[in-house]
Amino acid sequence: MRIEIENAVKTFERGERPALDGLSMTVADGELVALLGPSGSGKTTLLRAIAGLEGLESGAIRFDGEDVAGLDARDRNVGFVFQHYALFRTMTVEENVGFGLSVRPRATRPPKAEIAARARELLRLVHLEGYERRYPAQLSGGQRQRVALARALAIDPGVLLLDEPFGALDAQVRKELRRWLRELHDRTGHTTLFVTHDQEEALELADRVAVINAGKLEQIAPPAELYAHPATPFVCEFLGAVNRLDTPEGIVYVRAHEIDLTPPGTPHALAATLVAVRAAGPRVHVELELSSARRIEAELSAEAFAATGYAVGSALSARIRRKHTF
Amino acid sequence: MFARSPSPKVIPGFGLALGITLAYLSLVVLLPLAMIPLAAFRLAPERAWAVVSDPRTVHALALSFGTALLAAAVNAVLGTLLAWVLVRYDFPGRRLVDALIDLPFALPTAVAGISLAALYAPNGWLGRLLAPLGVTVAYTPLGIVVALVFVGLPFVVRTVEPVLEALDAEVEEAAATLGASWSRAFRRVVLPLIAPAVLAGFAMALARGVGEYGSVIFIAGNLPMVSEIAPLLIAIRLEEYNNGAAAVIALAMLAIAFALLLAINLLQAWNRRRIEA
């Protein structure tokens, strides 16, 4: 299902900055899109507006070209996975997954056995066979998250919406689930939007990443393009460690790993003094002081740094391989 | 030389706290209650049985527990609705309504009984309206139920209210996105979550209703075998200096009430274990 958002505006409190401030974007059918932004940027509000859990003040949301403004959340056929899963704790895992089918009006409700079979099939899909009779309280965080996903998939939604799907999980489980979600998407092909504030997660998982700031869309692009050609200073600053330099030609952003350490006097390079070294595993962060007393950070592999032979106090040159000027 | 075993408890004062609790509980609850079987057992077993099996006693006990159960059930439904309205909606006068809920707690129940009797008497404001319909409330078992609904209302509202307030809105939103209508979401999702609180309120309203005396005797009419409640029968026996019979009836009440409350507690514990173990 294709989703178009046009000029979405939403203000929660009168006089406050709007949560959505004229945001427009389109998500293609079958696409996996990440909504990336700092907290309070409006990304969750956008997700809730698409689901019908939040109304818009103005603007439109269209599913396959059809305006859904008049449709209640229960009639939009969206699968929503909440940040804290919102499982029904008085129901078993199987009842949770089958809920969407069991509350259909009598005319379209499948028979009980069919609902149970469908729930078991989905639990197999999310690798939770054997957990049918458990209650949510008896599951780990990662398992609950997968039950929530199976429950959302059970209604065969036109679009799958996930709010910080990995936010409450520890790093190990996060990585695993991330890969697994990508596989699942490739298999089922649901149009999927997920909210995250973790740029690594967004870049690794999504077909396209929508960077949202202060209720507006900064840029939507495939991860590689977003990284190579940031459209705005915000996108540039939000993605990875970046140095900001004020030069006569304007504000220049330089990524830490796009700076080479070269011998003093290298042409087209900045004279600098090495003032600090922080080794973080295989990567080394080097702090440099330019002649203008401005400090910048460079990042290189531990081997490459060892090969230069520089230490704190060394005079050297910083050669900028690539810069983004705005 | 001896090594002092390290205390495994982080929270201090367990022994002292438990000691005070048990002493207090014994003094305030257990000791007075223990006097009832002591007094009852002073009666010869066959005489005690005669008191319990007396049709008047049986009727009074059945009436007390029957009306209390019915009133608690009515309160469970209406009290839940009232709590829902107070928690979910903001309307002018909400605080006033909220304060009104507790009034049955504060009022001497005799005052409630007198006003209810005046209201529901055949010539009272409400009694007049009900009389043509063939419904008499005052001086019938129905009047007892009305009085017990009045005194028991705060229990359900006050136990359900905080639970509803703490209910995660996301759970209802999840039900909505899955296509559940409001009524279905309430029945399948919300109700099971607040059921333990409703049941707890029901139990308290029931307990209060069984022991209620002041408001009931003014509206019940107190006809033996028709509208005479067990607490009144106990009072009558005491006035006759028949302390033994009074104690036997009291013991019967105590046993039934204890069994009912125990059953409710076991139900609660079973439900908790089912979903949390």
Side-chain angles (χ1 to χ4, degrees):
Chain A
M1 195 166 74
R2 189 177 80 251
I3 300 167
E4 293 159 283
I5 296 132
E6 196 184 297
N7 250 322
V9 176
K10 169 83 188 175
T11 314
F12 283 104
E13 296 222 12
R14 199 186 271 273
E16 292 238 330
R17 192 173 63 70
L20 294 176
D21 194 2
L23 190 147
S24 301
M25 65 184 271
T26 303
V27 178
D29 182 45
E31 208 175 12
L32 177 57
V33 168
L35 302 176
L36 177 67
S39 51
S41 59
K43 52 196 194 310
T44 295
T45 306
L46 176 62
L47 204 71
R48 290 173 57 84
I50 295 171
L53 296 173
E54 217 77 77
L56 290 180
E57 261 158 62
S58 64
I61 294 173
R62 283 187 285 272
F63 288 179
D64 278 338
E66 190 191 337
D67 197 320
V68 293
L71 282 183
D72 214 53
R74 66 179 60 92
D75 300 319
R76 289 197 187 186
N77 196 34
V78 298
F80 202 104
V81 177
F82 291 83
Q83 187 176 2
H84 301 290
Y85 323 129
L87 294 179
F88 307 133
R89 62 184 177 83
T90 54
M91 296 182 205
T92 63
V93 165
E94 187 181 298
E95 286 166 344
N96 264 282
V97 176
F99 182 83
L101 294 176
S102 69
V103 295
R104 282 196 183 161
R106 209 175 290 277
T108 54
R109 192 190 313 157
K112 268 207 170 91
E114 204 174 298
I115 295 175
R118 174 91 178 118
R120 281 198 297 275
E121 182 192 317
L122 281 160
L123 285 172
R124 216 166 22 247
L125 184 72
V126 300
H127 304 305
L128 280 175
E129 55 266 273
Y131 288 84
E132 290 84 359
R133 301 264 156 263
R134 303 272 191 106
Y135 284 87
Q138 301 161 332
L139 303 179
S140 73
Q143 290 169 335
R144 283 181 211 179
Q145 153 51 256
R146 283 180 281 154
V147 172
L149 192 59
R151 184 178 70 176
L153 288 173
I155 58 169
D156 199 15
V159 54
L160 191 57
L161 306 170
L162 304 105
D163 187 10
E164 299 267 1
F166 313 112
L169 302 171
D170 60 61
Q172 184 69 33
V173 183
R174 252 179 122 104
K175 279 228 151 91
E176 242 170 71
L177 271 181
R178 207 190 283 172
R179 196 166 335 122
W180 172 80
L181 182 67
R182 179 73 230 188
E183 283 168 23
L184 187 76
H185 174 264
D186 293 344
R187 197 136 37 108
T188 59
H190 283 105
T191 307
T192 306
L193 273 97
F194 74 97
V195 159
T196 180
H197 59 257
D198 181 342
Q199 44 134 330
E200 192 191 318
E201 195 167 283
L203 296 176
E204 192 184 306
L205 195 53
D207 295 326
R208 286 197 300 159
V209 177
V211 181
I212 293 171
N213 179 40
K216 290 193 169 81
L217 180 72
E218 294 275 338
Q219 185 177 11
I220 179 165
E225 194 190 319
L226 203 67
Y227 205 76
H229 307 290
T232 66
F234 179 84
V235 175
C236 197
E237 277 188 78
F238 198 69
L239 296 181
V242 71
N243 296 294
R244 183 189 153 125
L245 297 171
D246 295 300
T247 66
E249 37 192 310
I251 298 166
V252 170
Y253 288 92
V254 181
R255 292 221 165 81
H257 68 97
E258 288 171 346
I259 297 173
D260 287 334
L261 306 186
T262 54
T266 307
H268 309 297
L270 304 165
T273 312
L274 204 164
V275 288
V277 177
R278 276 183 294 119
R283 306 296 291 174
V284 174
H285 296 263
V286 179
E287 206 173 316
L288 306 170
E289 190 171 288
L290 303 180
S291 50
S292 60
R294 165 119 185 98
R295 290 189 173 194
I296 61 172
E297 193 180 279
E299 184 195 319
L300 64 169
S301 74
E303 290 91 348
F305 180 69
T308 62
Y310 294 127
V312 173
S314 300
L316 47 82
S317 292
R319 191 172 62 196
I320 290 162
R321 282 205 305 272
R322 194 158 74 166
K323 57 189 174 184
H324 306 277
T325 313
F326 295 101
Chain B
M1 290 293 292
F2 59 93
R4 204 194 289 189
S5 69
S7 166
K9 290 270 191 306
V10 178
I11 304 167
F14 171 70
L16 185 66
L18 185 70
I20 292 176
T21 312
L22 287 182
Y24 183 75
L25 203 63
S26 308
L27 199 68
V28 174
V29 180
L30 236 43
L31 206 57
L33 287 185
M35 298 315 289
I36 297 172
L38 280 182
F41 291 142
R42 240 176 282 161
L43 223 59
E46 59 276 9
R47 278 205 47 211
W49 177 246
V51 170
V52 174
S53 57
D54 177 7
R56 187 173 169 187
T57 311
V58 172
H59 188 275
L61 285 171
L63 184 69
S64 271
F65 282 95
T67 51
L69 277 166
L70 196 61
V74 170
N75 272 332
V77 176
L78 292 180
T80 303
L81 182 70
L82 205 55
W84 179 273
V85 169
L86 286 174
V87 169
R88 288 304 166 93
Y89 306 104
D90 205 4
F91 52 92
R94 195 182 67 88
R95 282 185 184 286
L96 193 71
V97 175
D98 202 46
L100 273 176
I101 305 273
D102 289 327
L103 270 187
F105 273 152
L107 216 58
T109 51
V111 176
I114 292 166
S115 16
L116 285 174
L119 209 52
Y120 286 101
N123 58 352
W125 287 357
L126 290 176
R128 227 190 334 236
L129 298 176
L130 291 172
L133 304 173
V135 181
T136 30
V137 175
Y139 317 126
T140 66
L142 188 59
I144 302 175
V145 175
V146 169
L148 295 185
V149 166
F150 178 84
V151 296
L153 180 69
F155 292 101
V156 177
V157 179
R158 290 297 178 235
T159 49
V160 174
E161 221 179 346
V163 178
L164 269 179
E165 243 158 31
L167 208 65
D168 196 356
E170 279 192 355
V171 173
E172 283 168 74
E173 289 178 346
T177 60
L178 291 166
S181 65
W182 183 85
S183 62
R184 218 179 273 274
F186 181 79
R187 203 155 40 86
R188 299 262 324 258
V189 176
V190 177
L191 202 54
L193 287 172
I194 61 171
V198 175
L199 199 57
F202 172 85
M204 281 198 276
L206 171 69
R208 180 75 175 82
V210 169
E212 177 57 18
Y213 177 81
S215 63
V216 173
I217 54 166
F218 287 100
I219 196 172
N222 310 322
L223 287 170
M225 302 298 294
V226 178
S227 57
E228 183 183 56
I229 55 168
L232 179 66
L233 192 56
I234 295 172
I236 290 171
R237 292 289 177 254
L238 284 174
E239 276 167 16
E240 294 165 348
Y241 299 105
N242 192 350
N243 288 4
V248 168
I249 303 170
L251 186 62
M253 283 193 79
L254 196 63
I256 301 171
F258 184 76
L260 276 173
L261 295 178
L262 185 69
I264 291 172
N265 274 335
L266 287 177
L267 187 66
Q268 297 270 44
W270 170 78
N271 182 48
R272 242 194 328 271
R273 248 200 330 276
R274 189 175 62 97
I275 63 171
E276 275 163 25

